[in-house]
Amino acid sequence: MPNLFSQEAGPQPPREIRAQVEIMALLKTLMQNRDPLTVTFTDRSQKFQSFIVKLDTDQGELWIDELIPREGDKYASQGESFRIDAWHEGIHMRWDCPGATQVELDDAPAYAAGVPDELFYHQKRGAFRASVRRTADIAVELAHPERKRRFTAYLMDLSATGCKIRLEGDMSRSLSPGELYTPATLHLPDAGRVEVAMEVRHVEYREEANETHAGMMFKQPTALAQRSIDRFVNFLQREARRMEKEDLF
């Protein structure tokens, strides 16, 4: 089976995966990485969060944790159908569940549903990264919900799926790969404050500049936030092309 998470040259068109061995591999990855699931019940607009807590290959079942907010447990207990969206390293996965059965896992409620026959898979990695001029000083505010940390950083580049930021001094021990900062606020020109959740992907301290550079990935941005980010990336791309043309003369 090909590695579905191997690095590709650019974003790939959406496709449906129907091979059970591939579907189980993807679900196992989501479970092992504790990637959050967004659960949306049919004919309901509210979204709920959960996680895969168990995969039963023999029974062909996946178990998800109790839902947040807890109101979702009522809909799940009633057997309502729902859709699950998940993201892993810039890859969007989606599948439908006709319903779930309430079960118990470690004395806590969970919900068992059948492993899907098909899974929507869309790789968005490899998105165009637009450089941001250092003189622009576009600020990024980071807040950690549990550790009560707050940082102010500045954009180095930006894409539809993430960004690279710089911070003054050695912050390599304060930012750890895998940490989620929410809310994180991008202060984009014209768009103003754009709030997203950001996950730390990699961190590097540049001693010669006394700066820390960190790669960040956006986690499930709202449609409004994504549009604001996409518009600014397009603006940066147009500016880069304009500068290239001016350099020709």
Side-chain angles (χ1 to χ4, degrees):
M1 182 186 73
N3 182 1
L4 293 171
F5 293 106
S6 61
Q7 182 66 46
E8 300 284 353
Q12 306 298 305
R15 59 193 177 99
E16 293 282 352
I17 295 177
R18 296 184 175 87
Q20 282 296 296
V21 64
E22 293 186 0
I23 290 175
M24 290 299 291
L26 291 169
L27 297 177
K28 185 177 181 180
T29 297
L30 294 175
M31 180 178 68
Q32 291 177 338
N33 286 275
R34 291 286 293 172
D35 290 317
L37 311 177
T38 299
V39 178
T40 310
F41 290 92
T42 306
D43 299 327
R44 298 187 186 276
S45 59
Q46 188 175 5
K47 298 182 185 298
F48 302 89
Q49 188 179 83
S50 186
F51 299 87
I52 297 176
V53 292
K54 180 180 176 180
L55 281 173
D56 190 329
T57 305
D58 294 333
Q59 297 296 322
E61 288 184 340
L62 66 91
W63 291 21
I64 64 173
D65 203 358
E66 53 190 334
L67 281 73
I68 302 171
R70 294 298 299 274
E71 185 182 359
D73 289 341
K74 178 180 70 175
Y75 305 141
S77 300
Q78 293 171 176
E80 295 189 19
S81 60
F82 55 89
R83 189 182 86 181
I84 292 180
D85 289 85
W87 287 260
H88 179 79
E89 295 186 356
I91 296 172
H92 178 202
M93 286 166 270
R94 185 184 74 226
W95 66 94
D96 294 316
C97 294
T101 303
Q102 185 169 344
V103 292
E104 282 201 5
L105 182 67
D106 299 329
D107 298 323
Y111 298 92
V115 171
D117 293 327
E118 59 182 21
L119 181 147
F120 170 94
Y121 175 98
H122 188 194
Q123 177 173 304
K124 298 183 178 181
R125 288 179 300 182
F128 173 80
R129 283 195 172 272
S131 296
V132 178
R133 289 180 292 108
R134 181 175 286 261
T135 54
D137 275 346
I138 297 175
V140 181
E141 296 176 7
L142 304 175
H144 196 291
E146 297 172 356
R147 300 188 180 182
K148 296 182 179 179
R149 292 176 178 170
R150 286 189 172 274
F151 303 105
T152 297
Y154 295 93
L155 276 183
M156 298 180 68
D157 65 35
L158 181 68
S159 78
T161 58
C163 62
K164 187 175 183 180
I165 59 175
R166 58 181 170 87
L167 303 93
E168 292 184 4
D170 185 359
M171 307 297 290
S172 57
R173 295 183 180 179
S174 299
L175 294 170
S176 300
E179 282 188 323
L180 186 66
Y181 283 81
T182 178
T185 305
L186 296 162
H187 292 268
L188 300 182
D190 297 330
R193 294 170 58 91
V194 178
E195 289 195 354
V196 293
M198 292 189 191
E199 180 183 318
V200 181
R201 304 302 296 167
H202 58 82
V203 181
E204 179 186 7
Y205 174 58
R206 299 290 184 90
E207 186 175 1
E208 70 280 4
N210 191 29
E211 290 180 347
T212 299
H213 297 177
M216 313 292 287
M217 183 175 70
F218 302 140
K219 301 289 285 187
Q220 304 177 28
T222 65
L224 180 61
Q226 189 67 64
R227 285 198 298 272
S228 297
I229 291 168
D230 291 344
R231 280 197 296 267
F232 191 60
V233 170
N234 290 336
F235 165 76
L236 292 173
Q237 190 173 15
R238 289 196 304 271
E239 284 295 290
R241 289 172 177 167
R242 183 179 63 82
M243 295 295 290
E244 288 175 1
K245 289 180 180 179
E246 289 182 356
D247 288 342
L248 295 175
F249 299 98

